[in-house]
Every structure is written in C-alpha cells, then in structure tokens.
C-alpha cells in the first residue's frame, strides 16, 4: 500500500486498472474469453454484479429466460429489475432451447460450464444453437461461469463467450471459489 497510495483513494468506477488487466489476461488464457481490460467491471460480489446487469439490460416488463431449475439469486435479480421470467428447462439431456411461448427475451441467463444445481455441462451444439437463438431474437446472453475453473480431469471447457461472433454474450464470473469468498470479487 505504501508503494501505491492511490489504492487508499477512490479508484476507477470499473475497478483498479491493473487488476482488470490481470483478469483480462487470465480469462483469455484459462477460459477462452475475448475481452479487453476496459470491458471488465469489478463489483462487490456475484449478486451485486447480477443486480447491475439486470438493471442495465432489462426494462420493467421485459422477458428474461432463466434456467429451470436454476440459480434463485439470478431469478431474484431479474424480478427486482421488473422482468417477467420464462423458464429455460434443463434436464438430463441438457438445455431445452425451444423458445418458450410469449415475448422474445431481452436476456437469456445460463450456467453452461456447470449448471446450477444439476452440474451438467452444455454441449457445444447446444451452445452454438443458443448463440443462434440469441442472435435471431436480438437477446443478450448472460453466461454465469461461477464454477468453470473446476474440472476433475482435463482442461476446463472454454467459455461460450469465446465462440460468440455477434457480441451477444456477457461473461460473468466470480473469484470466490478460487480465492476466498470474503474478498467479494
């Protein structure tokens, strides 16, 4: 801290530039994410990040597809932003990517590297189909990679964001599992 007194002052709104640079490099090498440090936003925790995304991307009354079963914290963030939730069903065969009846979604929330709570991994053909559906419906995909670093064998599966050619995927992750939860990043 003595060598970087600026750390004791109000910093950049997106977070410390040096930290964002390190995160961008890490994500590129270990998760296959294509981003620049300027695209990284550091929040006080995963739930705060989801809340921010929901409020930025959704107007009240717009539709959000959320995994069913799925992470209740994401559902709560979208509901707090005034979204209407539509289920994106997940079972032993993976994600049902047939659009639910009703309005096209503004946001599609998925956990493709490790589904919460079932632990399934979205197959590549499902990932590509989801990217196509989002492109066709003009929807944002929030890829929550809460557990993508953990594999019992082999390399981690690359993030879906790296295969996105239409810039529709917002990669979202946390360091709580690989560092420690109290850090709140």
């Amino acid at each position: 801290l003595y060598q970087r007194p600026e750390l004791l002052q109000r910093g950049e709104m997106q977070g410390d530039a040096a930290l964002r640079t390190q995160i961008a490099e890490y994500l590129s090498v270990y998760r296959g994410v294509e981003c620049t440090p300027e695209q990284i936003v550091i929040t006080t925790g995963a739930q705060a990040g989801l809340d921010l995304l929901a409020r930025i991307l959704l107007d009240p009354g717009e539709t959000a597809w959320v995994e069913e079963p799925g992470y209740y914290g994401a559902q709560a963030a979208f509901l707090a932003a005034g979204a209407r939730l539509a289920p994106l069903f997940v079972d032993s065969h993976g994600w049902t990517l047939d659009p639910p009846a009703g309005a096209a979604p503004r946001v599609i929330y998925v956990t493709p590297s490790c589904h919460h709570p079932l632990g399934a991994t979205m197959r590549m053909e499902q990932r590509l189909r989801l990217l196509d559906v989002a492109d066709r419906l003009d929807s944002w995909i929030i890829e929550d990679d809460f557990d993508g670093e953990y594999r019992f064998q082999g390399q981690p599966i690359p993030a879906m964001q790296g295969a996105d050619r239409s810039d529709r995927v917002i990669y979202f992750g946390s360091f709580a599992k690989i560092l420690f939860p109290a850090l709140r990043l």
Side-chain angles (χ1 to χ4, degrees):
L1 289 177
Y2 294 112
Q3 289 147 359
R4 292 198 56 204
E6 68 272 11
L7 291 177
L8 299 174
Q9 300 171 0
R10 291 192 186 271
E12 298 175 51
M13 292 299 290
Q14 288 177 247
D16 181 66
L19 177 58
R20 289 186 289 116
T21 298
Q22 291 298 311
I23 291 171
E25 290 175 14
Y26 168 82
L27 291 174
S28 174
V29 171
Y30 291 101
R31 302 300 300 125
V33 172
E34 295 181 13
C35 68
T36 65
E38 294 76 27
Q39 293 173 300
I40 304 230
V41 177
I42 299 170
T43 64
T44 59
Q47 198 60 42
L50 280 172
D51 182 67
L52 179 64
L53 284 171
R55 292 174 193 277
I56 289 172
L57 298 175
L58 290 160
D59 287 328
E62 288 186 311
T63 302
W65 289 358
V66 294
E67 295 171 325
E68 181 59 43
Y71 176 50
Y72 63 89
Q75 296 169 2
F78 298 136
L79 286 172
R84 290 181 312 193
L85 303 184
L88 184 59
F89 293 105
V90 183
D91 61 21
S92 60
H93 301 289
W95 283 251
T96 303
L97 299 175
D98 299 320
R106 185 74 185 126
V107 168
I108 303 169
Y109 172 83
V110 290
T111 55
S113 292
C114 181
H115 175 263
H116 179 82
L118 301 178
T121 300
M122 188 182 282
R123 296 184 311 272
M124 183 54 76
E125 63 268 15
Q126 289 179 319
R127 291 171 185 237
L128 295 175
R129 180 151 184 251
L130 180 58
L131 290 169
D132 182 59
V133 167
D135 197 30
R136 194 167 20 98
L137 297 176
D138 194 27
S139 304
W140 291 102
I141 297 173
I142 297 175
E143 176 182 10
D144 188 344
D145 197 25
F146 75 96
D147 211 11
E149 285 87 4
Y150 288 112
R151 302 291 296 171
F152 291 109
Q153 58 185 339
Q155 295 292 320
I157 296 168
M160 184 170 54
Q161 187 272 353
D164 175 23
R165 298 296 166 237
S166 298
D167 292 329
R168 300 212 169 271
V169 177
I170 298 169
Y171 179 86
F172 176 82
S174 169
F175 291 107
K177 302 242 179 14
I178 58 173
L179 293 175
F180 46 93
L183 191 57
R184 307 291 299 162
L185 291 177

